[in-house]
Amino acid sequence: RPSYPPDRQTHLPLAAAPLVSAAQLEAWTPGRDPFNVATKPLARAARRWQRKRRVLHCHDMMGGYLPHEVSPFGGATADGYNFEHWAYVDVFVYFSHHRVTIPPAGWIDAGHTHGVKVLGTFIVEWDAGRTDLLKL
């Protein structure tokens, strides 16, 4: 079972965390993370798909993986980010400056409830990224 850094406010382990290296990506297997599992199937979005243009929203908030996003208990404060415009979005991307950004289950469930696909990112930047890219 993976270990997560503790939430700075609750001191409980976080339920979602990025993969920060090619080694972590190589070692990752599905089903080993019982907390970060989405539960909502992708709902049908009837009206949205009739448009000719599609909208992708990229969530890039303070580095990602904020306590209110990743803890199954929510954050200790009420100042969390709440996205309210799901009806206008076709694809939601959860971004952070980590090698592999896996969206927290709460974001996946929220998107799926509204018929929005939710994606993470794979990024290779700076010297460490170049090294990992050569390994892959």
Side-chain angles (χ1 to χ4, degrees), residues 1-6 12-20 24 32-35:
R1 181 171 166 188
S3 62
Y4 301 102
L12 296 168
L14 298 177
L19 304 177
V20 297
Q24 277 190 326
R32 287 183 34 199
D33 183 354
F35 296 108

Side-chain angles (χ1 to χ4, degrees), residues 37-88:
V37 177
T39 59
K40 305 277 185 192
L42 181 60
R44 186 175 175 174
R47 296 175 313 222
R48 187 176 307 122
W49 301 110
Q50 295 172 0
R51 296 191 313 244
K52 290 183 180 180
R53 293 186 176 101
R54 296 181 66 194
V55 176
L56 180 145
H57 174 75
C58 187
H59 171 283
D60 184 5
M61 175 97 173
M62 300 169 55
Y65 297 100
L66 302 175
H68 70 275
E69 297 178 320
V70 299
S71 173
F73 309 104
T77 64
D79 61 352
Y81 173 70
N82 182 27
F83 183 68
E84 298 177 1
H85 303 288
W86 292 105
Y88 304 107

